[in-house]
């Protein structure tokens, strides 16, 4: 999600006004936004007709996850065989659009496709929360970032007035990201493109416009074709992981002098300054990353997210995924395995909702009960040990 809605929103929503007061002031707040919006009164009335202060948006904005996802679980859910197969099918079906985007903007089509896959599962999961209502709620709720959300609401109104996207199709995340590659409205205004040539920049229903806009975003983030994002490496025993990190870039020779090698022991290759990522510490997989990794990182400001995009892009090319074992004795689960886990929990009488592979509070609570019955610490984590126990009955 460009311009950090996922990241920003987690930090910016402290200091909310009391919900009752915010609801009472909602209409007067909207009137003030209309005066600043620069869109016609007709557009504003049509876009805001029937919307109301949405308590669910506030609830989601204030939610603090009690479970921190280990990097191996995060990667297993985002980069599995199912997503690779779906991605290759999506790339075949949209080959011309991806080729045009790569040629026009100079960005690797496989990286563009990987963003598409992680953000919306290749257009299958766009989010269901109406943008105008969600952003109006956030802009009028009294949070410290209300001016930010007011700007995003105004950008959304301008999208509607220009006619690029049908208002009924403008749904997405609670924080305002929308479309097949989850642009924030202001980012859409700056960087969305009409790749299919129909005169509209429709990142919701046009896969071509979505992948073209994503390629344009990565171009603006200074992606440089020809150097790749990086590759997995082997760290020497005793490597100081405090020296690692995306920002701590050094010449390739510097890392080579410390004993970092390619996985097969061959010397490092590449030019320019590069960093070393060790997301699970010195005992887990490590990666040499170039400035192109920074371009991917800028899409959502999280190294784990950037790594998922990078590895998925490699797998879409037919390359291997992460080769070094993650430092855990409880293997992570793919989405198919998570669905199997949820199905088995349901069969045991637990209410986990639809077995969709998405692990929410109900699934975690059920896992905790199973863990307790097995004499394990109740973490709620969907791991191989719990799944194996359920399979054994």
């Amino acid at each position: 999600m460009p311009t950090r809605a996922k990241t920003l929103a987690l930090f910016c929503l402290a200091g909310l006004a009391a919900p009752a007061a915010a609801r009472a002031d909602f209409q007067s707040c909207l009137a003030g936004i209309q005066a600043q919006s620069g869109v016609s009164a007709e557009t504003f009335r049509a876009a805001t007709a029937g919307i109301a202060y949405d308590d669910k948006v506030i609830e989601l904005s204030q939610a603090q996850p009690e479970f921190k996802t280990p990097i191996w679980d995060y990667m297993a859910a985002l980069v599995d065989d199912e997503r690779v197969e779906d991605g290759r099918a999506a790339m075949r079906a949209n080959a011309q659009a991806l080729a045009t985007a790569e040629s026009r903007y100079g960005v690797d089509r496989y990286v563009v496709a990987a963003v598409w896959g992680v953000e919306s599962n290749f257009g299958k999961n766009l989010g269901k929360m109406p943008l105008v209502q969600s952003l109006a709620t956030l802009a009028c709720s009294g949070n410290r970032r209300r001016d930010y959300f007011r700007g995003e609401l105004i950008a959304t109104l301008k999208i509607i007035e220009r006619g690029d996207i049908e208002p009924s199709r403008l749904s997405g995340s609670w924080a305002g990201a929308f479309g097949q590659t989850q642009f924030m409205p202001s980012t859409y205004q700056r960087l969305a493109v009409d790749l299919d040539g129909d005169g509209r920049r429709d990142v919701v229903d046009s896969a071509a416009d979505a992948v073209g806009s994503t390629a344009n975003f990565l171009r603006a983030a200074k992606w440089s074709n020809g150097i790749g994002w990086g590759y997995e490496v082997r760290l020497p025993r005793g490597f100081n992981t405090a020296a690692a990190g995306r920002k701590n870039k050094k010449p390739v020779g510097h890392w080579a002098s410390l004993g970092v090698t390619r996985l097969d022991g061959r010397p490092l290759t590449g030019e320019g300054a590069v960093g070393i990522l060790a997301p699970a510490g010195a005992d887990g997989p490590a990666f040499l990353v170039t400035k192109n990794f920074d371009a991917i990182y800028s899409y959502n400001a999280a190294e784990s997210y950037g790594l998922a995009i990078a590895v998925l892009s490699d797998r879409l090319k037919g390359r291997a995924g992460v080769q070094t074992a993650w430092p855990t004795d409880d293997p992570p689960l793919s989405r198919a395995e998570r669905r199997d886990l949820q199905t088995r929990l349901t069969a045991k009488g637990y209410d986990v909702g639809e077995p969709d592979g998405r692990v929410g509070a109900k699934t975690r609570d059920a896992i905790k009960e199973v863990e307790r019955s097995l004499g394990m610490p109740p973490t709620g984590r969907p791991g191989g040990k719990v799944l194996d126990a359920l399979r054994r009955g």
Side-chain angles (χ1 to χ4, degrees), residues 17-32:
R23 280 194 296 273
D25 292 340
F26 188 64
Q27 292 303 320
S28 61
C29 174
L30 284 181

Side-chain angles (χ1 to χ4, degrees), residues 228-231 233 245-247 249-250 255 273-277 287-294 303 307 310:
W229 66 268
Y231 50 85
V233 295
R246 178 183 61 86
K247 293 183 178 179
K249 289 188 172 61
K250 303 288 185 184
W255 301 115
V274 297
I276 299 293
L277 292 187
F287 307 87
L288 177 149
V289 294
T290 71
K291 66 176 184 177
N292 277 350
F293 185 86
D294 295 338
E303 289 185 352
L307 190 60

